Amino acid sequence: AGDYSCVLSDKEDVQTVTRNTNLEVGVVTQVRWMQGSSVQYSQGEKVNLTCQSEGGHPRPSLIIRTRENVQLNEKPSVYEGALVSRSVSIDGAKEQNLTMLYCQAEQRGRNGALLYHSYATIRLGVLSMLMLNQWGGSVWWCGWPMIVFIFLLIFSFLLAACCGIYFCVC
């Protein structure tokens, strides 16, 4: 990056032509959600999410999108040196379960042309009431699917044993 000059010289007449140009090197930014790739919350809980890009040239603009019908309450981007962040809050609803949010970083040149496009995704997960049990300040999963599986397994063994006894007695 920087200013460069190109000088062309003619051997016979010793005429020179000089052209100056400025060269900027583009670097793609790294985008990530501060909360990781997924976030779980209780139905009705307000969730704050922050997307951040680091580095990159030119400075990116961040856009948060979703393909689902989720109302996003976005806050303006914050610029701190090489970091750009954008926050969004949602009011957790059951219909938002497994929704994907996309944080898209667009880096444009001086003429407005798109140079780089990068993104990060985060999956929203609404915890059901069966999965929540506050006990001693920790969140514990009550394990209903495992209990049903064990019950079905025991029932299958009892059924097989009863059928075996019935057919062996005859």
Side-chain angles (χ1 to χ4, degrees):
D3 293 323
Y4 291 88
S5 295
C6 180
V7 179
L8 179 62
S9 177
D10 183 354
K11 213 176 187 184
E12 294 172 7
D13 296 332
V14 190
Q15 294 180 359
T16 61
V17 178
T18 303
R19 296 285 184 242
N20 296 321
T21 186
N22 182 280
L23 176 66
E24 290 186 43
V25 178
V27 179
V28 70
T29 188
Q30 301 295 318
V31 182
R32 68 185 177 103
W33 287 98
M34 299 300 290
Q35 292 76 18
S37 61
S38 67
V39 64
Q40 294 185 335
Y41 55 91
S42 301
Q43 185 175 340
E45 177 182 354
K46 184 176 182 178
V47 181
N48 294 310
L49 304 169
T50 302
C51 174
Q52 186 178 69
S53 71
E54 185 172 0
H57 180 77
R59 178 181 275 175
S61 58
L62 297 179
I63 303 162
I64 298 176
R65 295 193 169 130
T66 182
R67 293 186 182 131
E68 309 296 326
N69 188 18
V70 177
Q71 183 174 353
L72 303 174
N73 301 315
E74 290 188 66
K75 297 178 179 118
S77 294
V78 176
Y79 301 94
E80 294 177 12
L83 295 176
V84 180
S85 62
R86 185 159 194 150
S87 297
V88 64
S89 63
I90 58 171
D91 295 324
K94 187 176 182 180
E95 297 80 25
Q96 296 169 353
N97 195 27
L98 304 179
T99 295
M100 300 293 284
L101 290 182
Y102 304 89
C103 181
Q104 178 178 315
E106 291 184 351
Q107 294 171 265
R108 297 189 177 272
R110 288 184 180 171
N111 61 358
L114 183 63
L115 299 176
Y116 300 109
H117 175 265
S118 51
Y119 69 95
T121 59
I122 190 168
R123 183 177 53 84
L124 305 177
V126 179
L127 297 173
S128 70
M129 294 311 288
L130 288 177
M131 295 171 68
L132 293 177
N133 183 10
Q134 295 292 334
W135 201 12
S138 300
V139 176
W140 292 87
W141 183 59
C142 66
W144 284 111
M146 184 60 75
I147 294 170
V148 170
F149 173 75
I150 292 171
F151 176 74
L152 289 174
L153 191 63
I154 292 171
F155 178 75
S156 300
F157 282 129
L158 288 176
L159 185 64
C162 289
C163 290
I165 293 172
Y166 177 75
F167 289 115
C168 290
V169 173
C170 298

